[in-house]
Amino acid sequence: MPGREFGREGESDMDGTARRGTDEPENGAAEVVTPGASGSSGRRRALVIAGGAVVALGAVAVGAVVLLGGDDDQVVEQTLCGLPRAAGTPLDALLPKGRAGTEEQRETRGDGNGSSVRTCTITVDDAEAVVVRVMATKADSTSSSGGRMGDWVGRGVVASRGSAAVADLCRSDPGRVAFASVLVGPGLLVPKADEAANEKQERATTELVESVRAAQGQSLCA
């Protein structure tokens, strides 16, 4: 898993197919984010071929919004993608200050290897801000890089610029793997040269994926 990055629009996935960063897998392919260190945008996606057609869709939802403080220091309190946003939370640290977000959720299920993927995209002012994804698939599934998905388990959180991912065995079925990942939108990535800002954003991204892991990581295992 280390040494790989997420792919933005115009870059190629590990199978050589150009994809936009928020595209859903097609034809039963379940996506897993794999942080690393190559490419101009610092992102690449690994694909797990599920086989069969992707089924199920999601819906658009807006979290309840509470604005606290004056015009110059408003704090947004809302729940997005099942995660709390308030002062001091990792989600608030990643989103634009004082701006409310909306969410769009989508779930796909591929025939063949029992893979399920749930993606929640948070947008702020109509721009992609954060993508939260959870997934469950068979441990012996093979990614396009040739590795077993079960090999991800036990490596802890792997983070790179604007992304973090973590994998665990499904508690209800040790033959399956549960994944959680967080991807920061391109417009919110801090400058590469600002080391302090990058460390702060990476810390918030890591903390957020840990929250996703705790709250939702096992939700697709059953």
Side-chain angles (χ1 to χ4, degrees), residues 61-103:
V62 180
V65 179
V66 177
L67 299 178
L68 304 175
D71 292 338
D72 296 331
D73 60 349
Q74 282 189 334
V75 175
V76 180
E77 292 189 356
Q78 59 181 155
T79 298
L80 293 167
C81 300
L83 302 166
R85 180 189 184 186
T89 62
L91 185 56
D92 190 63
L94 294 174
L95 296 179
K97 301 304 178 187
R99 309 298 297 174
T102 61
E103 68 179 45

Side-chain angles (χ1 to χ4, degrees), residues 151-167:
D151 295 339
W152 286 54
V153 176
R155 298 189 182 186
V157 175
V158 177
S160 65
R161 183 169 176 261
S163 63
V166 64

Side-chain angles (χ1 to χ4, degrees), residues 33-125:
V33 263
T34 54
S38 66
S40 60
S41 66
R43 289 147 194 271
R44 184 174 287 275
R45 296 183 187 279
L47 297 181
V48 184
I49 303 304
V54 174
V55 296
L57 297 174
V60 176
V62 180
V65 179
V66 177
L67 299 178
L68 304 175
D71 292 338
D72 296 331
D73 60 349
Q74 282 189 334
V75 175
V76 180
E77 292 189 356
Q78 59 181 155
T79 298
L80 293 167
C81 300
L83 302 166
R85 180 189 184 186
T89 62
L91 185 56
D92 190 63
L94 294 174
L95 296 179
K97 301 304 178 187
R99 309 298 297 174
T102 61
E103 68 179 45
E104 180 180 358
Q105 298 198 46
R106 183 179 300 174
E107 184 170 325
T108 61
R109 295 182 181 273
D111 298 333
N113 72 348
S115 293
S116 300
V117 185
R118 182 181 301 135
T119 302
C120 185
T121 302
I122 299 173
T123 60
V124 177
D125 296 333

Side-chain angles (χ1 to χ4, degrees), residues 131-158:
V131 178
V132 176
R133 179 172 283 118
V134 292
M135 170 185 172
T137 191
K138 289 183 178 179
D140 59 1
S141 297
T142 303
S143 73
S144 58
S145 63
R148 289 179 64 256
M149 299 316 298
D151 295 339
W152 286 54
V153 176
R155 298 189 182 186
V157 175
V158 177

